[in-house]
Amino acid sequence: MSTFQAPKGTYDLLPPNSATYLAVREAIAAPLRNSGYGYVETPGFENVELFARGVGESTDIVTKEMYAFETKGGDRLALRPEGTASVLRAALEANLHKAGNLPVKLWYSGSYYRYERPQKGRYRHFSQVGAEAIGAEDPALDAELIILANDAYRSLGLRNFRILLNSLGDQECRPVYRAALQDFLRGLDLDEDTLRRAEINPLRVLDDKRDAVQKQLVGAPLLRDYLCDACKAYHEEVRELLNAEGVVYEDDPKLVRGLDYYTRTTFEFVHDGLGSQSAVGGGGRYDGLSEMIGGPALPSVGWALGVDRTVLALEAEGVALDIPSATSVFAVPLGEEARRVLFRVVTELRRGGVATDFSYGGKGLKGAMKNANRSGARLTIVAGERDLADGVVQLKDMESGDQVAVPVAEVVEAVRARLV
Ligand code: AMP
């Protein structure tokens, strides 16, 4: 061990488990690529104000969890705690919305940072794959995104997850509801912090995980009873589109989520095998966010799925992904000349697209074969001085154990023929 360890709340992805993370990212991205979403990558940090305004001044993310700092040049920056605000900022900055092709559909994959209390499934550095559809108000877009996340999870083999669905209304109906909820909350026996929250952001109180608070919220007014006709119709259409596709979801009138920018459709994917950190992904519509960060009105919808928790969900369900071995061929040279000859063979195989590895460090046959076994290779090429004197190498099938001598000049072809 070195003097240093990974910082608290973080962990390293290492082989062989890291292959599962790559496969999860790929499985989430595949349906997006297949549905008109283009890849976007933004910096790991942004002007802190972007998140303060975008995610919301009163959210836990902004008040407690942001890694904010001042640079030597005096800029106030923050490591990104989420993806949506950055992606929207990037799209606006590049004027993607003016190209006359709305919605702008983008997907991303990357690291996010929140100074949270670490526990299983909750880290200070975590990984998300996300999707945003910017600049269109169409229930089919909301439904599309929910279906794509659902398909991604199913393609991974996950089954024990549920989709929670709600509408948070819009600027017309939410203020009326907000006032009604505030009235209700003021009458409860709540601690000072929670009462303050009720004044700044009462909807967030609905999300309070404490039993003592939840018990008092039993008779709370629900947004669904306050939705205006336009929001009601919009939500009904999202539900119908999902129903038509056979996507099973639960209406959850108390679902609010931890970010302030959501309007109308809001959803969360929860997994029942994960204990308290059960949300594997979530998202919704954020029709007002563009204006909040100084852009034009651009109704939009998106989601982010957590890669770390998706991997934990796979473990919880006992799903092992079918990840093919990275190495197909392993070359074992015995002696200097063999090293030169096989190194050329290895390079040629690699250039021809065959995943090949080599025994380095002048190992003897026993040690090298151990490495070959561990690599998962289907074929091993072994060459010693006597083989080379005869102009051949030994090609061994690792599964059957069969071994044949093949002329050096023909080994690449012989490997190819056996791998098809
Ligand atoms: P959010 O941006 O809070 O809506 O989170 C979207 C998804 O990212 C969640 O459902 C989690 O899967 C994942 N996520 C959020 N925060 C963390 C964290 N601290 N550690 C691990 N995963 C997280």
Side-chain angles (χ1 to χ4, degrees):
M1 198 158 100
S2 85
T3 319
F4 302 103
Q5 289 173 8
K8 185 172 172 189
T10 72
Y11 63 101
D12 303 303
L13 294 183
L14 300 165
N17 296 349
S18 50
T20 307
Y21 284 75
L22 282 180
V24 165
R25 288 193 187 111
E26 183 48 39
I28 299 173
L32 297 169
R33 281 205 204 96
N34 196 35
S35 310
Y37 290 75
Y39 180 65
V40 61
E41 199 164 312
T42 65
F45 49 81
E46 296 273 353
N47 187 318
V48 69
E49 267 301 298
L50 173 69
F51 301 119
R53 282 210 245 161
V55 177
E57 297 275 13
S58 71
T59 58
D60 280 353
I61 293 179
V62 170
T63 54
K64 299 189 223 154
E65 296 168 5
M66 238 176 357
Y67 283 88
F69 56 98
E70 194 171 312
T71 65
K72 290 195 173 75
D75 294 328
R76 298 261 308 134
L77 302 176
L79 299 187
R80 56 186 183 187
E82 60 100 49
T84 303
S86 310
V87 169
L88 186 56
R89 194 268 308 138
L92 290 171
E93 190 171 332
N95 281 322
L96 297 187
H97 59 295
K98 289 190 184 153
N101 196 16
L102 295 177
V104 176
K105 301 210 290 187
L106 301 169
W107 76 273
Y108 58 88
S109 172
S111 293
Y112 296 86
Y113 306 88
R114 294 182 195 172
Y115 191 73
E116 299 204 71
R117 204 158 37 78
Q119 66 178 94
K120 184 157 189 193
R122 189 166 69 192
Y123 310 106
R124 291 180 172 176
H125 164 263
F126 57 96
S127 179
Q128 291 183 338
V129 176
E132 315 290 351
I134 298 165
E137 192 181 82
D138 185 336
L141 213 44
D142 308 41
E144 167 177 299
L145 278 162
I146 294 171
I147 290 166
L148 292 176
N150 184 60
D151 288 355
Y153 283 138
R154 294 207 160 264
S155 78
L156 282 166
L158 287 176
R159 295 291 175 267
N160 300 339
F161 65 89
R162 292 175 292 130
I163 304 173
L164 309 179
L165 184 68
N166 193 18
S167 171
L168 290 179
D170 61 9
Q171 67 278 34
E172 192 184 318
C173 52
R174 190 145 53 160
V176 183
Y177 169 68
R178 191 176 184 278
L181 180 61
Q182 252 166 355
D183 270 353
F184 174 84
L185 295 175
R186 283 182 193 126
L188 302 184
D189 177 22
L190 299 171
D191 60 273
E192 234 172 73
D193 260 5
T194 312
L195 281 173
R196 203 171 317 122
R197 182 173 289 169
E199 293 309 314
I200 306 169
N201 196 338
L203 270 74
R204 174 98 334 103
V205 180
L206 295 179
D207 209 23
D208 200 308
K209 300 282 181 285
R210 292 170 298 181
D211 268 356
V213 177
Q214 279 304 328
K215 263 192 209 127
Q216 298 189 66
L217 291 175
V218 169
L222 294 175
L223 187 45
R224 107 176 133 200
D225 301 322
Y226 288 75
L227 289 182
C228 60
D229 287 344
C231 283
K232 237 185 252 166
Y234 193 96
H235 197 56
E236 209 32 58
E237 206 174 329
V238 174
R239 296 177 74 248
E240 275 167 23
L241 287 164
L242 293 176
N243 293 341
E245 294 314 312
V247 175
V248 180
Y249 55 86
E250 295 170 20
D251 292 305
D252 180 352
K254 283 195 181 149
L255 180 73
V256 292
R257 312 219 347 97
L259 301 89
D260 273 359
Y261 50 60
Y262 287 115
T263 51
R264 291 196 168 168
T265 313
T266 319
F267 51 87
E268 196 151 83
F269 286 75
V270 292
H271 192 275
D272 291 326
L274 294 186
S276 66
Q277 302 306 311
S278 62
V280 285
R285 196 152 260 291
Y286 48 94
D287 293 341
L289 180 59
S290 174
E291 286 153 301
M292 280 149 92
I293 63 169
L298 278 175
S300 306
V301 57
W303 52 240
L305 310 188
V307 176
D308 312 73
R309 286 190 202 164
T310 303
V311 171
L312 291 175
L314 288 169
E315 282 167 16
E317 284 197 40
V319 178
L321 299 182
D322 186 16
I323 297 171
S325 158
T327 302
S328 303
V329 179
F330 199 91
V332 176
L334 302 170
E336 256 320 296
E337 196 196 343
R339 208 161 90 94
R340 269 190 300 276
V341 170
L342 285 197
F343 194 72
R344 293 194 62 189
V345 170
V346 164
T347 304
E348 193 179 340
L349 282 168
R350 287 174 176 167
R351 287 187 176 145
V354 178
T356 308
D357 207 353
F358 191 63
S359 175
Y360 293 99
K363 279 200 189 83
L365 183 62
K366 208 168 148 207
M369 288 313 284
K370 222 188 239 174
N371 290 158
N373 267 318
R374 221 177 271 157
S375 77
R378 280 173 55 195
L379 298 172
T380 303
I381 307 170
V382 184
E385 271 167 35
R386 216 174 313 143
D387 297 311
L388 293 181
D390 295 342
V392 298
V393 298
Q394 302 295 328
L395 190 55
K396 182 172 180 182
D397 183 311
M398 297 298 275
E399 205 166 294
S400 65
D402 295 346
Q403 186 167 309
V404 285
V406 178
V408 176
E410 291 166 25
V411 65
V412 170
E413 228 6 83
V415 165
R416 288 190 166 287
R418 281 170 175 75
L419 287 180
V420 285

